[in-house]
Amino acid sequence: MATTRRALDWRRIALVFLLFAGFGLRLHELMRQDIWWDEARNIDVALRPFLQVAIAPELDIHPPIYFWSLHAWVSPFFLQLGMDAAQIAFVARLLSVAAGTVGIALLYPLTRRVAGRNQGNFEGVIAGLCAVTVATFSPFWLAESQETRMYTLGFALLMGAGMALLKVCLLYTSDAADERG
């Protein structure tokens, strides 16, 4: 019992450290680069009235979910076109920072459950921590988490969907095993 408790504490400390490191790295020099054209277009669409987002001609190849999310994210800050561009970019980029951090947090339980079929499986814990470490320090993922683009939100949503699918599959297989056995 004491060994399990120490391992649990070690795992939690490592995970919390990696999450704070990931959040901090994503915030570090968030405003280092100017707004890219793609970011400016995304911000322009998100600052439109909510119902106009879905019919924006710029979205002919993009589903509106990201733009609605960005709209909801920036609305409490009362951002408008014509305001200081750095302020608009900072607030808009914070959505990617938050989504990138949430994606890292969701990556751990998903990897742990896929790699180690039992929740107490040490291999699953190690695989989960390795996946979170790679996601935390990946230069590519850090860069994407500092731009007003849909990739980090898409990753976080996919991690959530993966968790939900895995839970349904595990529930289905355990129900099927109960019926057989």
Side-chain angles (χ1 to χ4, degrees):
M1 177 73 174
T3 305
T4 304
R5 187 72 173 149
R6 269 184 272 152
L8 181 68
D9 291 340
W10 173 82
R11 181 186 71 195
R12 284 187 179 160
I13 289 169
L15 188 57
V16 167
F17 170 78
L18 288 168
L19 287 174
F20 275 113
F23 181 70
L25 287 170
R26 280 152 180 76
L27 279 178
H28 180 67
E29 294 191 23
L30 184 60
M31 298 305 301
R32 183 188 70 223
Q33 65 183 3
D34 292 332
I35 298 174
W36 295 57
W37 180 84
D38 287 356
E39 290 182 287
R41 187 202 64 215
N42 293 346
I43 292 168
D44 176 54
V45 172
L47 291 178
R48 296 177 188 176
F50 185 80
L51 294 177
Q52 289 182 8
V53 168
I55 59 171
E58 298 93 338
L59 304 184
D60 59 347
I61 60 170
H62 297 292
I65 300 245
Y66 172 75
F67 299 97
W68 282 332
S69 300
L70 185 57
H71 177 87
W73 181 267
V74 299
S75 290
F77 298 97
F78 303 106
L79 297 181
Q80 300 173 16
L81 291 177
M83 293 178 74
D84 179 39
Q87 180 184 6
I88 293 173
F90 181 79
V91 171
R93 287 175 177 171
L94 279 178
L95 175 61
S96 294
V97 169
T101 305
V102 168
I104 291 171
L106 291 173
L107 183 61
Y108 175 76
L110 182 63
T111 306
R112 189 191 79 211
R113 289 188 180 132
V114 168
R117 305 230 0 145
N118 301 326
Q119 286 195 0
N121 191 333
F122 187 69
E123 290 84 7
V125 171
I126 295 301
L129 288 174
C130 286
V132 168
T133 301
V134 168
T136 296
F137 297 107
S138 165
F140 169 76
W141 210 243
L142 285 168
E144 291 302 322
S145 294
Q146 292 184 331
E147 295 181 358
T148 307
R149 310 227 11 220
M150 65 183 75
Y151 302 115
T152 56
L153 182 63
F155 179 75
L157 290 172
L158 283 173
M159 291 298 99
M163 288 291 300
L165 178 63
L166 187 60
K167 283 188 179 206
V168 167
C169 289
L170 291 175
L171 180 65
Y172 176 75
T173 56
S174 67
D175 286 348
D178 290 344
E179 288 177 12
R180 285 185 294 229

